[in-house]
Amino acid sequence: MKNIIIAAGYATRLYPLTENFPKPLLKIGNRSILDRMLDDIDGFNEVDEHIIVTNHKFAPIFQEWVQNTNYTKPIHIIDDETTTNEGRLGAVRDLLLAIESRAIDDDLMVLAADNILDFSLQGFVDFFKDKQTSVIMCYHEPSLQRLQRTGVISMDTERKVLEMQEKPQTPVSEWAVPPFYIYKKSDLPLIRDCMSHGCGFDAPGNLAHYLVDITEIHAWQMPGKRFDIGSIDSYHEAQRIFS
């Protein structure tokens, strides 16, 4: 399994902190956001490589960071060659770039780079192995306002996803979807061809939304909490909580 982390955004809402520095490498306490994620995943027997997709502006900073890490699995940095927020490729195109650049023919764990979790992702991997399909994560969100700003799914009693909505005005359920996915190797042909069939490309959830209608996907309920660092206020709040 390849661990692909999408880290090519420009985090304009965190300026000036991220004007010249990538958000995933901001420290929360004594560890960066990205290191906190890799500290967990690097120990998984199933994962044999970490692939981090970033932009041309921040690629040298990530390359320098790699030189000072001591993870057991190899880390590869992919530069998507963009230099501005307006010219960004989008999360799905960055994922496709990683698949092509590394000639990947394996299961894929695909993660956003700006979240801190208070639980291990090993349970997510175990769920994937049990279901033998592509899987996404979900959590219960009772707030209508928050549901209208995220992906929402309905599922059956076996946790098979029946429908996925993107930022719905009328959510089909109270099951929200954070940006964490594991895609099965057998679904790679569908992923490689997704842009030819009108798949959205800006957000990582666009791909899951597309795939739900053409392949079997199950949803794992998040067993803990995540902290999405998307603004200056949330950054300072994370510092308070995790330091």
Side-chain angles (χ1 to χ4, degrees), residues 179-208:
F180 306 111
Y181 320 86
I182 303 179
Y183 295 120
K184 193 171 175 60
K185 174 182 174 179
S186 59
D187 284 335
L188 273 175
L190 301 176
I191 294 171
R192 288 192 177 98
D193 198 38
C194 70
M195 298 303 297
S196 301
H197 298 279
C199 178
F201 57 84
D202 193 46
N206 291 146
L207 179 59

Side-chain angles (χ1 to χ4, degrees), residues 54-67:
T54 186
N55 57 58
H56 191 65
K57 181 177 181 179
F58 294 145
I61 301 174
F62 277 99
Q63 293 287 6
E64 182 179 356
W65 164 80
V66 169
Q67 300 307 311

Side-chain angles (χ1 to χ4, degrees), residues 153-157 159-164 212-213 217:
I153 59 168
S154 64
M155 53 187 171
D156 66 17
T157 55
R159 309 199 72 82
K160 178 182 175 181
V161 179
L162 303 175
E163 180 181 354
M164 183 169 177
V212 159
D213 293 331
I217 293 181

Side-chain angles (χ1 to χ4, degrees), residues 2 6 20-21 41 100 106 116 132 136 182 212 229:
K2 309 304 181 190
I6 306 299
N20 294 296
F21 194 79
I41 300 168
E100 180 182 359
D106 201 350
I116 295 176
Q132 291 294 300
I136 62 178
I182 303 179
V212 159
I229 301 172

